[in-house]
Amino acid sequence: MTNNPPTYTESDITTKISSRSVAETVSLFTEILRAKRLKIFSVIDQRAEAQAVGLELRETVLVVFGSPMQGTPVMAASPLAALDLPLKILVWADVDQTKVSYYSPSALGRIHNLSADLAGNLAGINALTDALVTS
C-alpha cells in the first residue's frame, strides 16, 4: 500500500487582500490570535532570513498558529495532516498590495479525507482572516 503525499492546486489556496502593510497585517493578526487565545507557534520573517544570507526576497512572513484542542483530533484521524498543521498564513507583498494566503479548510479536508466534523475544526481560519482584512 502506498500513501501518496498531499497534492494541492492553486485553487486550494485562499488569498485575501489587506489594506495594511505586511508588518501591520502580521501585527494585527497576532493580536487577533492572542485575543482568541489561540497558540502562536512561530512567526517567520522569510525576507529577513533571506537577507541574512545575502539574498533578496519580497516581504514574506509566515505565521504558524492553531489550537491543539482542534488540531489534535485531526492529526489523530489522519497522521499526515501533521504536515499541514498547525495552520499557517502567509502575509506577503505583491507589488503594491499585501496579500494573506493559506490552504483552504475544504482543501485540507479533501486532501486528508477528513469527516465534515473534523474539517470543521480547521474552518476558523476563514473567520480569522476575514476579521484581519476587514478591520
Side-chain angles (χ1 to χ4, degrees):
M1 183 170 131
T2 302
N3 280 336
N4 293 325
T7 303
Y8 293 99
T9 65
E10 192 170 328
S11 65
D12 292 331
I13 298 170
T14 299
T15 297
K16 299 175 182 178
I17 306 299
S18 171
S19 61
R20 296 172 178 80
S21 70
V22 169
E24 292 168 333
T25 301
V26 170
S27 178
L28 178 58
F29 192 63
T30 57
E31 287 176 24
I32 291 169
L33 294 175
R34 286 184 187 99
K36 298 283 186 186
R37 298 181 187 229
L38 293 169
K39 182 162 181 69
I40 300 169
F41 291 97
S42 186
V43 176
I44 304 167
D45 184 337
Q46 294 173 321
R47 181 183 197 188
E49 295 301 324
Q51 289 174 333
V53 295
L55 299 172
E56 286 299 315
L57 181 67
R58 71 181 82 215
E59 286 183 277
T60 306
V61 178
L62 186 70
V63 181
V64 183
F65 67 97
S67 164
M69 288 295 290
Q70 298 297 313
T72 300
V74 172
M75 291 182 283
S78 176
L80 291 180
L83 291 168
D84 292 309
L85 297 177
L87 293 172
K88 44 197 94 40
I89 66 161
L90 183 67
V91 182
W92 56 291
D94 187 16
V95 187
D96 60 345
Q97 290 184 319
T98 297
K99 295 186 175 178
V100 176
S101 300
Y102 58 93
Y103 289 123
S104 72
S106 60
L108 292 171
R110 186 190 79 249
I111 292 288
H112 297 294
N113 295 317
L114 300 176
S115 68
D117 285 346
L118 286 176
N121 286 8
L122 309 175
I125 194 169
N126 291 324
L128 291 168
T129 55
D130 283 347
L132 174 63
V133 300
T134 60
S135 56

